[in-house]
Amino acid sequence: MSAKRARNGFRRAAAIAAAGAALLLAVAGVAAAQVADHREIEYPELAEFVIPSPEIFELDNGMKVFLLEDHELPLVQVLARIRTGAAWEPVEKTGLAELLGTVQRTGGTGRMSGDEIDDFLEARAATVETSMSNTVAFASMDCLKEDFDEVFEVFHDVLRSPRFAEDKLEIAKVQMKSSIARRNDNVNAIAGREFFRLVYGYDSPLSRMEEYATVEAVTREDLLAWHARDYHPNNVYLGVVGDFDSAKMKEKVRARFSGWPRGPEAERREVPYRKERAASTFFIEKPDVNQANVQLGHLGITYHDPDFFAVQVMNEVLGGGFASRLFSRIRSEKGLAYSVGGGVGAAFDYPGLAGFSLQTKSETMGEAVDALYEELRGMVSDPVTADELARAKDSILNSFVFNYASKRQVLGQQMLYAYYGLPLDFLEKYRANIEMVTADDVARVAEKYLHPDEAVLLVVGREEDFDRPMSAFGEVTALDISIPPPPAAARAERTEESAERGRAVLASVAAALGGESPEAASAVKVVADVVLSMGEQSMSVEQSALIVFPDRIHVAMRAPMGEQEVVIDGAEGFMKGGGQVIPLSPERVERQLADLGRDLNYLVRYSGDPELEAVAAGEEEVDGAACRVLEVTYRGASSRLWVDEGGRVVRQAYQGEHPVTGAPGEFEVSLSDYREVEGRQIPFQKVIRIDGTEAVKVTIKSFEVDPAFDPTLFERPAA
């Protein structure tokens, strides 16, 4: 670490620590005044919460600027809100908005690459970030007061002239594909996501999900075109908060942004969504869980709704915390939920989600759903009591100040209110509006905004364990959450001629890699050193892989964290390591066996199988050498081979699964250092690149045909 970087990081930490010390002193004062019984605590009258108002002005080019001084720490923060959003991205390129929000920062600017910006900011303990949500884009910076001018220049360039570097876009796409691959791993995430989509409707842009095909369709030109269309100063709300003088900051903002010419005004477009309510029941089968995840609800309200404050009080009574009806009755009294809660949510440009959720044992799913319906209906039939009303108001008002504990939070919220057309005094009047809510108001909004009999019911779990069938709640629609595979690469045309030439090329490969009688081999064993690269980190593994034809695999790995074995014997398999034996799922076994269709030893061994398809796909050069291109498909797995004049495969390409992230990726394998072993030409060096980045390097130490092995290797140890 450089001296300057260490010095700046220390100064920033010291400034923040000073504020922390003051907080510790305050806490110590509270501790000294502790009482023996919590019922003896006397709460002071709630002090008036004064919300600071920013100074607001507009540049000649239409940029709206908000300034709010805060001299507590020597820091300055800048926030920007841009009138655009993911709700208006093309459906065939879903994911474009998120990629833009990521690569706008990581892809660099006209003056600095993304990596140079990383180093520049790290040396100053500063940050610049960008992102995009459904109806607004964000940009922000955070730095020490003394570094403001330099960091503000970088922030300006990121906002106004991003480079959107191609390599950073590809990295972001790989990361997004990894998220797609993992999106069904978490049951709670599945339930929340699919419930959201059911309420707003699958045709709504709010419900769209990135898929491999839509991510792959995004290009750098798409990012540049979107930025050119929507990123204009008259579509930007810029806020600055921190340790500065407002008069001087005005001049700095004008000097930096006045030269940005005004562009077309972004129109406030309506976000389409499903508006009608109808009782409907949905189910997602998740056989590997032992509890049911329940979601129930419909559309909520907007922040502009005149009943907004009464709804907040109702939400607190119904599902706001430990004292709420849902928690105290369903969880505490009846013991029917691990967690339960919810409320009528609000959003800005479209209604929020009125959603209620609970997690319960599979055996009590039906009983828990009954209890949830009962409490929602009870908000109308069983009016709120005076104690409930008082407790709900106190809870909201006592916690309200913590939502705006910093001036940055206040500024950010007021900028959003201005962006979405809410009055700037919305926060100032919050307390008074909550205090004005009556029990009659709560009863009225409960009847108006809670519709359990017109709600979407979604349950995720294992139905065979439920206390009653899902059909007890009405006609059931089973949802398919399977992830569509990536689009297949273009294939060479299969004709009688191309198939005949393909067979000839495959025969030359079998002769080179398999020797005189490749079909006679019963097993092969490869011992190798494997280096796995993950970003800037790498890990070395010693690996021994034994394939016993046709469907037995034993892989032993020795890594720094210990030893592990993966064993497949026909349709069954297990993993052993760390004193544990874990069975492999049928899907994992099937996938591993299918992957053999790309293994060169396997292809050579079964090169004469009539079910193996080989198609000649022309000629190409690899590292200056002429090669014949061969497309091979076997056991459902496809790959493309580049074969030199001697029948040696020098390159292989296919679409596979990333060994770390699990996301599909484009694999390219370079094979070299061929050596003769028992009459076979064996590549002792392999380098595997995934989506253009080197991920695996394999150096073979030994190669055996028909090795002696212990049959008990394939026996699963007793539990």
Side-chain angles (χ1 to χ4, degrees):
M1 178 183 292
S2 69
K4 181 178 180 182
R5 183 180 305 179
R7 186 170 62 251
N8 283 333
F10 177 78
R11 280 203 297 267
R12 182 182 181 87
I16 296 172
L23 178 61
L24 286 174
L25 289 174
V27 172
V30 173
Q34 288 181 348
V35 297
D37 192 314
H38 72 276
R39 288 168 293 188
E40 298 175 11
I41 298 175
E42 294 183 7
Y43 295 98
E45 187 73 21
L46 191 64
E48 186 69 28
F49 179 45
V50 179
I51 298 175
S53 297
E55 181 180 353
I56 304 173
F57 65 98
E58 186 171 316
L59 301 184
D60 292 340
N61 57 17
M63 179 182 286
K64 293 84 175 171
V65 183
F66 299 69
L67 301 182
L68 185 59
E69 294 184 24
D70 180 5
H71 302 287
E72 184 176 359
L73 296 172
L75 304 175
V76 182
Q77 298 160 324
V78 180
L79 315 173
R81 310 287 184 255
I82 304 94
R83 193 167 296 287
T84 186
W88 300 289
E89 68 187 351
V91 62
E92 71 277 8
K93 296 190 177 186
T94 300
L96 166 59
E98 184 177 338
L99 289 169
L100 186 149
T102 298
V103 185
Q104 182 177 4
R105 161 62 183 85
T106 63
T109 66
R111 286 189 262 195
M112 299 174 72
S113 70
D115 294 337
E116 288 171 336
I117 292 176
D118 289 341
D119 292 339
F120 172 87
L121 295 174
E122 184 181 354
R124 292 158 181 79
T127 63
V128 172
E129 303 294 342
T130 57
S131 61
M132 191 181 297
S133 68
N134 280 325
T135 57
V136 59
F138 302 92
S140 66
M141 64 165 270
D142 187 342
C143 69
L144 288 166
K145 175 183 179 179
E146 65 187 70
D147 297 323
F148 175 80
D149 292 342
E150 291 179 302
V151 179
F152 195 45
E153 181 178 0
V154 173
F155 173 82
H156 163 272
D157 291 350
V158 167
L159 185 60
R160 183 176 173 183
S161 54
R163 185 187 301 181
F164 295 120
E166 189 80 54
D167 60 332
K168 299 301 183 182
L169 173 59
E170 291 306 313
I171 291 172
K173 289 166 95 172
V174 170
Q175 293 169 340
M176 186 171 283
K177 291 175 184 177
S178 298
S179 297
I180 294 172
R182 298 192 304 269
R183 74 182 181 205
N184 288 337
D185 291 352
N186 184 281
V187 177
N188 291 339
I190 294 170
R193 177 192 77 216
E194 295 302 323
F195 176 66
F196 186 96
R197 301 178 74 210
L198 288 167
V199 172
Y200 286 104
Y202 286 113
D203 293 335
S204 172
L206 303 174
S207 300
R208 293 175 190 156
M209 292 194 300
E210 302 87 359
E211 303 293 358
Y212 296 124
T214 66
V215 172
E216 196 55 43
V218 176
T219 67
R220 177 174 180 266
E221 287 67 32
D222 294 324
L223 306 187
L224 290 166
W226 188 321
H227 185 272
R229 183 193 70 197
D230 288 352
Y231 283 70
H232 304 293
N234 44 307
N235 294 330
V236 175
Y237 292 69
L238 185 79
V240 188
V241 58
D243 190 11
F244 58 81
D245 175 82
S246 291
K248 293 180 180 178
M249 184 58 71
K250 281 184 182 179
E251 294 309 311
K252 290 183 178 183
V253 172
R254 285 196 176 100
R256 185 60 62 192
F257 283 104
S258 290
W260 193 1
R262 179 188 289 265
E265 295 284 347
E267 58 179 317
R268 292 182 68 94
R269 293 164 286 186
E270 181 181 351
V271 180
Y273 57 89
R274 192 184 73 161
K275 298 178 174 62
E276 69 278 1
R277 292 191 305 268
S280 46
T281 303
F282 299 88
F283 175 64
I284 297 174
E285 178 70 33
K286 201 73 167 102
D288 56 342
V289 299
N290 58 8
Q291 68 181 52
N293 191 308
V294 177
Q295 303 279 336
L296 179 68
H298 45 71
L299 289 175
I301 62 173
T302 71
Y303 277 88
H304 300 272
D305 197 302
D307 290 323
F308 174 84
F309 296 99
V311 168
Q312 303 317 299
V313 177
M314 179 198 71
N315 285 343
E316 189 66 27
V317 171
L318 179 57
F322 295 132
S324 68
R325 291 187 177 187
L326 292 180
F327 193 94
S328 61
R329 297 179 182 180
I330 296 179
R331 186 184 187 279
S332 300
E333 294 177 13
K334 298 180 180 179
L336 289 174
Y338 303 112
S339 64
V340 61
V344 177
F348 290 102
D349 273 4
Y350 49 86
L353 191 65
F356 303 89
S357 64
L358 63 81
Q359 288 78 46
T360 185
K361 293 184 296 184
S362 299
E363 295 80 8
T364 56
M365 182 280 298
E367 191 178 355
V369 171
D370 287 344
L372 185 56
Y373 275 112
E374 180 182 351
E375 294 305 327
L376 295 183
R377 294 173 182 135
M379 284 301 296
V380 176
S381 61
D382 182 14
V384 60
T385 66
D387 285 345
E388 285 180 314
L389 182 66
R391 185 167 53 243
K393 288 175 156 186
D394 286 346
S395 177
I396 293 171
L397 294 175
N398 281 307
S399 63
F400 174 71
V401 64
F402 295 106
N403 295 325
Y404 307 100
S406 72
K407 289 187 177 180
R408 175 183 176 132
Q409 290 175 299
V410 172
L411 180 67
Q413 202 65 31
Q414 293 201 342
M415 287 175 63
L416 275 182
Y417 291 157
Y419 180 93
Y420 287 111
L422 284 170
L424 290 179
D425 63 355
F426 185 87
L427 282 177
E428 296 176 20
K429 294 183 176 180
Y430 194 98
R431 175 178 175 178
N433 283 320
I434 290 293
E435 289 176 335
M436 290 168 52
V437 175
T438 66
D440 288 341
D441 291 329
V442 173
R444 175 176 55 79
V445 297
E447 186 169 11
K448 183 176 181 180
Y449 298 108
L450 290 177
H451 307 282
D453 297 318
E454 298 177 355
V456 169
L457 170 65
L458 170 65
V459 179
V460 183
R462 187 166 58 196
E463 187 173 18
E464 66 180 36
D465 294 339
F466 292 167
D467 52 344
R468 72 183 75 160
M470 284 297 303
S471 58
F473 298 101
E475 183 178 349
V476 180
T477 300
L479 298 182
D480 179 9
I481 60 169
S482 59
I483 301 171
R491 301 284 302 278
E493 182 181 1
R494 189 187 190 284
T495 64
E496 185 174 334
E497 180 185 358
S498 65
E500 183 177 348
R501 286 191 287 114
R503 277 289 173 183
V505 176
L506 181 61
S508 71
V509 173
L513 274 68
E516 295 183 0
S517 55
E519 70 284 349
S522 61
V524 294
K525 181 179 179 180
V526 180
V527 178
D529 288 329
V530 180
V531 178
L532 302 173
S533 299
M534 296 161 283
E536 297 181 355
Q537 298 181 332
S538 62
M539 179 178 67
S540 297
V541 178
E542 184 180 73
Q543 176 177 288
S544 171
L546 171 67
I547 301 176
V548 180
F549 303 114
D551 56 6
R552 304 175 85 191
I553 305 171
H554 180 277
V555 179
M557 293 166 285
R558 180 179 297 168
M561 67 285 294
E563 298 184 4
Q564 188 179 83
E565 294 178 56
V566 177
V567 180
I568 293 176
D569 189 0
E572 297 182 347
F574 61 89
M575 185 167 58
K576 183 171 68 172
Q580 293 184 310
V581 178
I582 303 172
L584 299 180
S585 67
E587 294 79 13
R588 169 82 180 271
V589 172
E590 182 180 357
R591 189 166 61 247
Q592 293 276 35
L593 290 175
D595 284 346
L596 286 176
R598 299 190 189 97
D599 183 275
L600 292 184
N601 294 304
Y602 205 85
L603 290 175
V604 165
R605 169 64 174 77
Y606 293 102
S607 58
D609 191 332
E611 293 187 6
L612 190 156
E613 183 179 275
V615 178
E619 296 183 358
E620 293 180 19
E621 283 193 359
V622 177
D623 297 330
C627 291
R628 297 161 292 174
V629 183
L630 181 66
E631 289 186 356
V632 181
T633 302
Y634 191 48
R635 300 176 67 97
S638 299
S639 64
R640 177 173 283 220
L641 309 179
W642 283 258
V643 184
D644 69 10
E645 293 181 356
R648 295 175 300 188
V649 178
V650 297
R651 179 185 294 171
Q652 181 180 27
Y654 56 90
Q655 193 169 70
E657 187 177 279
H658 196 290
V660 177
T661 66
E666 298 298 328
F667 283 62
E668 181 182 281
V669 185
S670 297
L671 303 100
S672 60
D673 190 17
Y674 272 85
R675 305 178 192 178
E676 184 173 327
V677 179
E678 300 183 30
R680 298 171 175 238
Q681 293 293 319
I682 304 300
F684 271 62
Q685 189 79 56
K686 296 181 184 179
V687 176
I688 302 175
R689 293 177 177 83
I690 304 177
D691 294 318
T693 301
E694 184 173 319
V696 184
K697 185 174 182 179
V698 180
T699 303
I700 293 179
K701 298 166 68 175
S702 66
F703 181 93
E704 298 179 75
V705 180
D706 294 330
F709 63 89
D710 185 352
T712 62
L713 287 175
F714 296 93
E715 295 179 3
R716 180 176 173 181

